[in-house]
């Protein structure tokens, strides 16, 4: 029986917890990882031998069987990728995790290249026959997936080029993105000491100090982070330009009308909707300007970059007391229980089963995320720094985790990846 939000197990969460990934694999040296990769390679090769060149002749029922097999392969591939990826995110200084992640990504790319023919051949089916597939009862649960395949039809390249693009990503775009994560994880920051004698020396702790009531603490915090980034501006600028150029080149290769078109198609958002949001935001931009002018008056000084998150106050007030992890967890669960008891209990499961990594440590990836593994559950990563911003981050990522929990109850693998705009609704609600 699931315990209530005030359960003894929750009461033991005195400090931010580390996640337990053993329901994926036992460690970076777990032989099951290579075993699963070998099984996936054999299944992919067999699937290719059986169906390549014959997709157009398959019945709707046979295509449904193929899609189910591809979903099984995709699900297991997700587990194999998730373990080293999550381990590396929790500690980008973990060389073994980095090496395993490189090995897994190379193997999974080879597997993906074996299988990408299937969607390509579906796209080559005549529009009339493709519409018949969409209308068939056997493929009813894959309607959205098939519609998405059709939408990308004008932008798909030959199998050989698609395979090359996948392989190039290992040493191109993805490699540069990972390089930035590795490099940032190696950086050391100048410690900042608060008036009460506490010291912050890593990215998560320093980020929390940007909310501190002391202007001097905020400024020193900004300098500590900025000085590190300033030293590496040329490197990070080169990485950003390389990734951007790759995005532009691919957009041209696939004959998208623009790089924006490519991204909106991926996010399932029409350009008129996007333009309306951008125009609406731009038309009221003076609200942001007025907000910070008023905040500057409240603080008695002109707003600096380091003051954007400063608390509103005109008096010398004591800062809010630390929001310890246990208190934050209980606050979140009690709030969710007011909405729905079952919702709160599914959230509680994340804490009881250690699906969350909230511990602050050097080398941990910055920011926060929710990583979902279909057929299992989600894993949440954040750095909890005993403040209300950390609680809001925890609530946000828990919203994603709960969204995926109900997706997992009802959807197959191909229907389990909501587009960006839809995915952010649950997290924003939380």
């Amino acid at each position: 029986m699931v315990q209530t939000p005030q359960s003894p197990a929750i009461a033991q969460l005195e400090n931010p917890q580390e996640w337990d990934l053993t329901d994926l694999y036992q460690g970076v040296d777990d032989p099951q990882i290579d075993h699963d990769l070998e099984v996936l390679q054999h299944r992919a090769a067999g699937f290719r031998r059986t169906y390549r060149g014959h997709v157009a002749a398959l019945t709707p029922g046979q295509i449904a069987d193929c899609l189910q097999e591809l979903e099984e392969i995709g699900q297991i591939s997700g587990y194999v990728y998730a373990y080293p990826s999550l381990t590396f995110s929790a500690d980008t200084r973990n060389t073994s995790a980095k090496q395993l992640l490189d090995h897994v990504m190379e193997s999974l790319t080879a597997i993906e290249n074996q299988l990408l023919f299937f969607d390509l051949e579906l796209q080559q089916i005549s529009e009339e026959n493709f519409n018949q597939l969409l209308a068939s009862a056997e493929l009813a649960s894959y309607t959205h997936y098939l519609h998405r395949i059709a939408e990308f039809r004008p932008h798909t390249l030959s199998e050989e080029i698609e395979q090359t693009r996948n392989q190039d990503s290992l040493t191109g775009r993805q490699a540069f993105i990972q390089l930035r994560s590795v490099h940032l994880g190696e950086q050391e920051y100048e410690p900042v000491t608060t008036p009460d004698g506490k010291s912050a020396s890593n990215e998560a702790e320093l980020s929390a100090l940007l909310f501190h009531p002391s202007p001097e603490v905020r400024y020193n915090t900004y300098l500590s982070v900025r000085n590190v980034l300033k030293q590496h501006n040329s490197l990070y600028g080169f990485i950003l330009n390389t990734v951007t150029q790759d995005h532009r080149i691919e957009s041209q290769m696939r004959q998208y009308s623009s790089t924006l078109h490519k991204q909106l198609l991926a996010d399932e958002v029409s350009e008129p909707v996007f333009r309306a949001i951008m125009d609406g935001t731009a038309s009221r931009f003076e609200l942001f300007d007025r907000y910070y002018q008023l905040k500057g008056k409240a603080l008695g000084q002109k707003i600096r970059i380091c003051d954007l998150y400063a608390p509103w106050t005109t008096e010398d007030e004591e800062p809010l007391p630390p929001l310890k992890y246990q208190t934050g967890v209980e606050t979140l669960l009690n709030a969710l229980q007011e909405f729905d008891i079952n919702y709160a209990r599914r959230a509680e499961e994340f804490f009881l089963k250690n699906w969350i990594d909230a511990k602050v440590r050097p080398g941990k990836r910055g920011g926060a995320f929710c990583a979902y593994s279909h057929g299992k559950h989600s894993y949440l990563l954040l750095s909890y720094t005993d403040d209300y911003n950390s609680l809001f981050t925890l609530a946000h990522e828990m919203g994603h985790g709960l969204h995926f929990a109900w997706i997992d109850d009802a959807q197959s693998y191909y229907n389990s990846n909501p587009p960006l705009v839809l995915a952010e609704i649950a997290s924003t609600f939380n």
Side-chain angles (χ1 to χ4, degrees):
M1 181 177 178
V2 179
Q3 296 165 306
T4 65
Q6 290 77 29
S7 68
I10 294 298
Q12 294 175 7
L13 294 177
E14 296 180 2
N15 299 304
Q17 62 198 115
E18 299 180 66
W19 54 26
D20 179 2
L21 303 179
T22 54
D23 56 348
L24 290 170
Y25 296 98
Q26 299 303 308
V28 293
D29 56 352
D30 188 343
Q32 187 65 37
I33 296 175
D34 277 330
H35 172 76
D36 286 348
L37 283 173
E38 185 177 351
V39 171
L40 288 169
Q41 289 163 353
H42 284 305
R43 290 187 68 174
F47 187 90
R48 183 179 180 86
R49 284 193 302 270
T50 303
Y51 296 109
R52 187 171 184 266
H54 306 294
V55 175
L58 297 177
T59 66
Q62 290 173 323
I63 290 178
D65 290 340
C66 288
L67 291 173
Q68 289 170 10
E69 183 171 356
L70 290 173
E71 286 184 312
E72 291 176 9
I73 293 173
Q75 186 182 70
I76 299 172
S77 296
Y79 302 156
V80 177
Y81 173 77
Y83 184 82
S85 177
L86 294 173
T87 304
F88 174 73
S89 294
D91 181 7
T92 60
R93 301 178 182 182
N94 186 331
T95 304
S96 298
K98 166 69 167 56
Q99 292 173 342
L100 177 61
L101 181 58
D102 290 342
H103 167 60
V104 165
M105 289 178 65
E106 183 177 356
S107 299
L108 292 180
T109 298
I111 292 167
E112 181 183 356
N113 277 351
Q114 291 262 50
L115 300 172
L116 60 80
F117 77 90
F118 191 81
D119 284 0
L120 296 179
E121 291 189 28
L122 279 177
Q123 290 174 331
Q124 293 167 4
I125 295 175
S126 69
E127 185 174 354
E128 179 182 354
N129 290 341
F130 194 86
N131 288 335
Q132 290 177 359
L133 293 177
L134 287 171
S136 65
E138 295 95 329
L139 291 169
S141 62
Y142 294 106
T143 300
H144 178 260
Y145 183 75
L146 293 173
H147 273 300
R148 294 293 287 160
I149 288 177
E151 286 179 317
F152 283 96
R153 185 185 291 129
H155 312 291
T156 303
L157 307 172
S158 68
E159 182 181 10
E160 293 78 10
I161 297 177
E162 293 286 0
Q163 289 174 332
T164 301
R165 289 297 298 170
N166 283 341
Q167 291 171 330
D168 287 346
S169 180
L170 293 172
T171 54
R173 176 169 50 195
Q174 280 303 124
F176 277 108
I177 292 172
Q178 192 160 308
L179 169 62
R180 184 177 181 275
S181 296
V182 171
H183 191 264
L184 269 177
E186 293 175 344
Q187 301 311 306
E188 301 288 345
Y189 299 90
E190 184 70 25
V192 174
T193 302
T194 59
D196 59 359
K198 294 181 179 179
S199 181
S201 59
N202 59 58
E203 185 182 4
E205 294 170 338
L206 290 168
S207 295
L209 289 185
L210 291 174
F211 296 83
H212 199 277
S214 167
E216 183 180 3
V217 168
R218 295 195 302 270
Y219 181 67
N220 290 337
T221 298
Y222 172 80
L223 286 183
S224 177
V225 176
R226 181 66 196 126
N227 286 340
V228 167
L229 296 179
K230 187 177 180 181
Q231 295 175 34
H232 308 296
N233 267 347
S234 57
L235 172 62
Y236 297 152
F238 177 78
I239 292 173
L240 177 60
N241 288 335
T242 300
V243 172
T244 303
Q245 186 176 19
D246 182 88
H247 183 59
R248 177 181 60 81
I249 291 172
E250 184 172 20
S251 296
Q252 293 173 344
M253 289 175 62
R254 297 185 181 280
Q255 298 184 347
Y256 288 102
S257 59
S258 66
T259 52
L260 175 62
H261 178 207
K262 177 178 182 289
Q263 193 60 47
L264 292 180
L265 188 60
D267 290 335
E268 300 186 49
V269 176
S270 69
E271 186 161 346
V273 169
F274 171 79
R275 294 294 180 192
I277 293 172
M278 296 298 289
D279 291 344
T281 302
S283 69
R284 299 309 305 275
F285 190 76
E286 80 281 354
L287 289 174
F288 294 94
D289 187 50
R290 286 173 55 202
Y291 174 85
Y292 286 112
Q293 286 185 16
L294 290 170
K295 192 170 191 177
K297 290 179 180 179
L299 296 176
Q301 65 180 63
K302 184 178 180 180
I303 288 286
R304 306 164 295 177
I305 295 292
C306 63
D307 299 321
L308 295 180
Y309 300 121
W312 283 73
T313 180
T314 56
E315 302 174 2
D316 292 331
E317 299 176 358
E318 288 293 319
L320 289 170
L323 189 69
K324 292 298 184 181
Y325 188 62
Q326 178 190 333
T327 304
V329 171
E330 290 176 344
T331 301
L332 173 60
L333 292 177
N334 285 332
L336 298 183
Q337 185 173 260
E338 289 296 310
F339 169 65
D340 181 76
I341 184 63
N342 294 316
Y343 194 70
R345 284 178 172 173
R346 292 196 82 160
E348 184 185 35
E349 192 174 14
F350 281 76
F351 301 103
L352 298 179
K353 296 186 176 179
N354 291 318
W355 296 343
I356 301 174
D357 193 301
K359 185 176 181 179
V360 178
R361 69 173 70 86
K364 188 172 184 177
R365 208 202 84 160
F369 64 72
C370 168
Y372 167 54
S373 290
H374 184 269
K376 291 186 180 292
H377 52 82
S378 297
Y379 298 91
L380 311 185
L381 179 140
L382 68 149
S383 294
Y384 193 92
T385 51
D386 292 350
D387 51 45
Y388 286 88
N389 190 52
S390 293
L391 174 56
F392 295 149
T393 300
L394 177 61
H396 180 102
E397 300 306 334
M398 181 62 74
H400 285 303
L402 292 171
H403 183 194
F404 283 121
W406 265 274
I407 286 176
D408 206 75
D409 289 345
Q411 301 292 352
S412 68
Y413 178 84
Y414 279 148
N415 293 319
S416 65
N417 185 27
L420 177 66
V421 176
L422 175 59
E424 293 304 323
I425 292 175
S427 55
T428 304
F429 170 80
N430 259 32

